[in-house]
Amino acid sequence: MGLFTHLTRSALFLDALQEECLAPLAITFADYSVLRVLEYEGPKAALTPTRLADILVRTTGGMTKTIDRLERRGVVSRGPDPTDRRGVLVRLTPRGRRLCQRASDAYAVGRQRILAGLDDDEIERIDTALRHLVAVFEQDRRDRT
């Protein structure tokens, strides 16, 4: 099998692992990704939907649907952007922080189960190679826009 076949199969297994870990919390990995990015930015952080879409490699339409779903759950809130009258900023709510922590804990268990099958050198080599591949994908995306 070729590189992209292995990457695709890995992505399918990863999707299944993420679903397994997050389904008990009734969130998708896309939902978790938004929560995680907002959490990473810090307690006072707020990002535009467009910035979230860029970071998570999603369409703005798809990001709007995800934010709508998360807002209905009370885990994110939208508010006006003080620097742009027409702009909107998305923030993580306290409830969202708690959900993000629970999801991170659940996902960590699944990741650790998989990584237990690899030694430290294998993990480092795979991580290095994948970081390089991601950089190539990012450069390709920049070159095409």
Side-chain angles (χ1 to χ4, degrees), residues 75-91:
V75 296
V76 300
S77 64
R78 285 184 177 106
D81 183 342
T83 64
D84 178 358
R85 287 186 326 166
R86 296 170 293 157
V88 172
L89 294 174
V90 180
R91 288 180 173 77

Side-chain angles (χ1 to χ4, degrees), residues 46-90:
L47 296 173
T48 66
T50 300
R51 181 68 183 131
L52 283 167
D54 288 345
I55 291 169
L56 297 171
V57 193
R58 300 278 189 245
T59 64
T60 54
M63 184 54 58
T64 297
K65 289 177 185 175
T66 300
I67 293 167
D68 287 346
R69 184 171 53 249
L70 293 171
E71 190 174 37
R72 281 192 301 274
R73 284 192 68 176
V75 296
V76 300
S77 64
R78 285 184 177 106
D81 183 342
T83 64
D84 178 358
R85 287 186 326 166
R86 296 170 293 157
V88 172
L89 294 174
V90 180

Side-chain angles (χ1 to χ4, degrees), residues 6-103:
H6 289 296
L7 286 171
T8 300
R9 284 186 50 81
S10 295
L12 292 170
F13 280 116
L14 182 58
D15 285 345
L17 175 69
Q18 292 164 342
E19 183 178 326
E20 170 195 323
C21 294
L22 300 174
L25 300 170
I27 63 171
T28 66
F29 192 74
D31 297 341
Y32 172 63
S33 296
V34 170
L35 300 177
R36 191 73 180 96
V37 165
L38 291 170
E39 180 189 52
Y40 180 78
E41 292 291 320
K44 302 282 187 207
L47 296 173
T48 66
T50 300
R51 181 68 183 131
L52 283 167
D54 288 345
I55 291 169
L56 297 171
V57 193
R58 300 278 189 245
T59 64
T60 54
M63 184 54 58
T64 297
K65 289 177 185 175
T66 300
I67 293 167
D68 287 346
R69 184 171 53 249
L70 293 171
E71 190 174 37
R72 281 192 301 274
R73 284 192 68 176
V75 296
V76 300
S77 64
R78 285 184 177 106
D81 183 342
T83 64
D84 178 358
R85 287 186 326 166
R86 296 170 293 157
V88 172
L89 294 174
V90 180
R91 288 180 173 77
L92 198 55
T93 66
R95 183 176 182 179
R97 286 190 198 296
R98 290 190 300 274
L99 178 59
C100 186
Q101 185 58 59
R102 290 176 49 217

